[in-house]
Amino acid sequence: MTPAVLRTVEEVKTWAAGLRREGRRLALVPTMGYLHEGHLSLIREGRRRADVVAVSLFVNPTQFGPREDLSRYPRDFEGDLAKCGAAGADVVFAPGPEAMYPPGYQTYVEVTDVSQGLCGARRPGHFRGVATIVTQLLALFRPEVALFGEKDYQQLQVIRALNRDLHLGADIVGMPTIREPDGLAMSSRNAYLSPEERQRALSLSRGLRAALTLLQGETRDAAALTGAVRHELAAAGLREDYVELVDAERLTPLDSVAPGQTARLLVAAFSGTTRLIDNMALGG
Ligand code: AMP
């Protein structure tokens, strides 16, 4: 079924209040649209965990830097609507920027510790924009469950922190990264890649898998594990943005993976001009 489309904050308030009166559980899936199987896996899991599923489609201007791809970010509203319906979404919220940031808007949310390294260090203001829009969406919909992908692992930790610290009360569910058959993590930004750039982009996931294999062979040292990823990036001619081994929750740098420790290896790199990210759990 084609989902109902809501465009304004007032429409959401009225709709969500109706759900609460009926005692129905809501799952929210925030996205920037141009949906792929990764997004759809979140919608399907939302269906399993709640009575009603809402998907937001909003290319959030405050999370893009001045030299980033806001104006050319891919969009396909009609296609997204059909995919949302097929995956079981009941409602799509597709506001314009003026609905979320009307004249006089002046409130921004800053999550400190987990926003600082990794993408936070390379994209100043990015997580402030993410935290602001996700806080708005959680406050507006007040969902029982909100689903996010581990593909954006640091973002997931930022959202867990703001949901906890601001008492927003959602159950934040992190879902595994959905990949193409050849290992490439699905991303709306993969649409920017030429066939050759796409081929070379496989080095991110290949590097992460090589690191996992090293860890399984008891190589625990951060330099060796990050080195395996760097080796693959260099062989494919990709420019590294970062490769880091961190504690899986606090995202603080690790020198090595202790036995039983849950670590995360994260990579960001440019294939051509397209910045791609990927990550994997190591240990635990
Ligand atoms: P985006 O539209 O890129 O902002 O992503 C919306 C949500 O989908 C975020 O929670 C992402 O982490 C999640 N997501 C994006 N790509 C994937 C993927 N390949 N697998 C699982 N979740 C994903």
Side-chain angles (χ1 to χ4, degrees), residues 215-246:
L215 183 72
Q216 286 161 349
E218 292 297 318
T219 299
R220 303 189 159 276
D221 179 49
L225 297 168
T226 55
V229 181
R230 291 199 170 104
H231 175 80
E232 290 296 336
L233 296 180
L238 262 64
R239 181 160 65 86
E240 170 190 333
D241 199 20
Y242 63 76
V243 181
E244 282 185 47
L245 180 75
V246 299

Side-chain angles (χ1 to χ4, degrees), residues 30-32 36 38-39 42 148-149 151-152 155 176-178 186:
T31 81
M32 297 208 298
H36 51 66
H39 300 113
L42 308 183
F148 300 87
K151 156 79 176 22
D152 301 277
Q155 168 175 288
T177 301
I178 303 295
M186 289 192 182

Side-chain angles (χ1 to χ4, degrees), residues 127-186:
F127 286 122
R128 180 180 189 254
V130 169
T132 298
I133 194 64
V134 173
T135 301
Q136 283 205 49
L137 292 169
L138 293 177
L140 181 58
F141 280 87
R142 292 165 54 190
E144 271 71 24
V145 183
L147 300 104
F148 300 87
E150 289 183 347
K151 156 79 176 22
D152 301 277
Y153 190 79
Q154 187 175 16
Q155 168 175 288
L156 175 60
Q157 302 313 315
V158 167
I159 291 163
R160 287 194 192 287
L162 69 86
N163 179 64
R164 182 186 64 233
D165 293 348
L166 299 179
H167 320 293
L168 295 174
D171 180 10
I172 303 294
V173 176
M175 295 292 291
T177 301
I178 303 295
R179 298 177 181 280
E180 303 285 358
D182 59 12
L184 183 68
M186 289 192 182

Side-chain angles (χ1 to χ4, degrees), residues 3-78:
V5 178
L6 307 180
R7 294 279 185 187
T8 69
V9 162
E10 283 312 316
E11 284 170 350
V12 175
K13 282 183 184 165
T14 307
W15 177 77
L19 284 189
R20 276 192 292 278
R21 271 197 306 276
E22 294 162 11
R24 302 217 283 163
R25 281 171 58 83
L26 172 62
L28 177 66
V29 179
T31 81
M32 297 208 298
Y34 210 69
L35 303 181
H36 51 66
E37 275 300 316
H39 300 113
L40 303 186
S41 72
L42 308 183
I43 299 173
R44 293 191 193 105
E45 182 64 17
R47 259 279 49 103
R48 284 189 280 275
R49 289 177 181 253
D51 305 312
V52 177
V53 180
V55 178
S56 62
L57 305 175
F58 181 59
V59 182
N60 174 37
T62 63
Q63 71 189 67
F64 287 78
R67 282 183 302 281
E68 293 183 358
D69 55 345
L70 172 61
S71 62
R72 66 180 192 118
Y73 195 83
R75 293 162 205 249
D76 174 17
F77 179 71
E78 291 305 325

